[in-house]
Amino acid sequence: NFAWSLDGCHSCRGVWCGKCYTSDEKHIFFCQYDERHEVVGDNGKKLNLWCHKSPDEKQFVEARDGDMLLSPFVCHECIFYILERLQPYDDSHLDGMLLSIIKRAVLDYLWSRARSTVRQNMNRVIANVNNLKAHSLKGPYYDGPTPVADCCGWECAISLLLDTLGKGTYFECHKQFDTSRHVPGTVANFEKVSFHLPETQLALVDEEKGKSQRFHMGGMSSLWFDQIYSGY
């Protein structure tokens, strides 16, 4: 959305290199890699109790250059405006908390792709763009802006993250993801019966076998939400 004005809002000025887009340390969310759940293995290397492998210390903490070529990136400030139709107040604790949650969700879905995959895809795109420039062509890479609507399931992702902050079975300070995963299912169930999504009533029918497949057109079926689930 850089330089675009969303529905009368001032133009977006948010630009980051990958390592500059980091999680907000003011509000803590437990990630798959977290030093508080870290142990040292027999070989002296750090292991993580959640995944039992040598961790990537930047995983879920900072973005990578090229992420936006594989994941539909919208910055946390633009998502805030799309959901609230207002700019966040600097002195508002609630606005600051919501911005932190949105940024956490953004980093979660960016990390649905491995670091090597992001790097290799970026190098291929650069090579493709350079080849097209030699013939005065721009290529198929679309610049924006984002539709001013929650078409990606952002509010559901926020609800999911808020639920994880509750008291869990194993930890007082947070729930396990498997405990909170009922939240997306609850939202998806409503999207399937909502009259505000008439496309959801459409179906593909196999008359020979008597079976049908229904379309799901809500935010829960978006690539963005599918990737945030993969990130978890």
Side-chain angles (χ1 to χ4, degrees):
N1 289 324
F2 178 72
W4 289 92
S5 176
L6 298 179
D7 195 26
C9 174
H10 66 74
S11 300
C12 177
R13 300 299 182 192
V15 179
W16 297 269
C17 61
K19 63 182 180 181
C20 294
Y21 195 83
T22 60
S23 59
D24 191 342
E25 296 181 355
K26 295 180 181 178
H27 303 94
I28 301 300
F29 292 91
F30 281 77
C31 301
Q32 184 178 15
Y33 167 73
D34 196 298
E35 292 181 354
R36 285 160 292 189
H37 290 162
E38 191 176 84
V39 295
V40 178
D42 295 335
N43 58 0
K45 292 185 178 181
K46 293 180 179 181
L47 301 175
N48 182 267
L49 293 178
W50 287 24
C51 53
H52 299 289
K53 64 180 180 180
S54 298
D56 181 343
E57 295 184 357
K58 301 299 183 181
Q59 187 176 18
F60 300 108
V61 176
E62 68 178 32
R64 293 80 48 93
D65 291 340
D67 269 328
M68 73 290 187
L69 299 172
L70 284 172
S71 303
F73 176 77
V74 183
C75 76
H76 54 292
E77 293 183 358
C78 286
I79 294 176
F80 183 100
Y81 179 79
I82 290 172
L83 296 178
E84 295 282 355
R85 292 297 196 276
L86 294 170
Q87 293 296 318
Y89 290 99
D90 294 335
D91 57 351
S92 171
H93 172 75
L94 290 177
D95 286 359
M97 181 68 175
L98 182 54
L99 284 170
S100 296
I101 294 171
I102 295 172
K103 183 181 277 192
R104 175 72 270 151
V106 170
L107 286 167
D108 285 344
Y109 83 78
L110 291 179
W111 274 94
S112 65
R113 300 300 186 110
R115 185 183 294 276
S116 58
T117 302
V118 173
R119 182 176 59 253
Q120 291 170 7
N121 183 71
M122 181 181 67
N123 291 337
R124 294 189 186 106
V125 170
I126 292 173
N128 179 230
V129 170
N130 290 334
N131 289 336
L132 292 171
K133 279 184 176 180
H135 298 279
S136 301
L137 298 173
K138 296 182 179 180
Y141 306 103
Y142 182 65
D143 293 328
T146 303
V148 188
D150 184 4
C151 55
C152 297
W154 292 320
E155 281 193 294
C156 184
I158 292 170
S159 298
L160 173 61
L161 288 170
L162 284 172
D163 192 72
T164 64
L165 295 178
K167 180 180 178 181
T169 304
Y170 303 103
F171 301 98
E172 294 284 336
C173 53
H174 72 96
K175 294 181 182 179
Q176 297 292 99
F177 173 71
D178 287 343
T179 306
S180 298
R181 65 187 312 148
H182 69 276
V183 175
T186 302
V187 176
N189 288 337
F190 179 76
E191 286 183 345
K192 293 175 183 178
V193 300
S194 174
F195 290 107
H196 296 286
L197 297 170
E199 297 89 350
T200 303
Q201 310 304 320
L202 301 177
L204 292 174
V205 180
D206 186 339
E207 294 183 353
E208 294 183 359
K209 296 183 179 180
K211 296 182 179 180
S212 62
Q213 293 182 327
R214 294 196 173 277
F215 293 96
H216 186 183
M217 305 298 291
M220 306 300 299
S221 61
S222 69
L223 173 63
W224 191 94
F225 204 89
D226 181 65
Q227 287 190 332
I228 197 173
Y229 240 51
S230 299
Y232 291 141

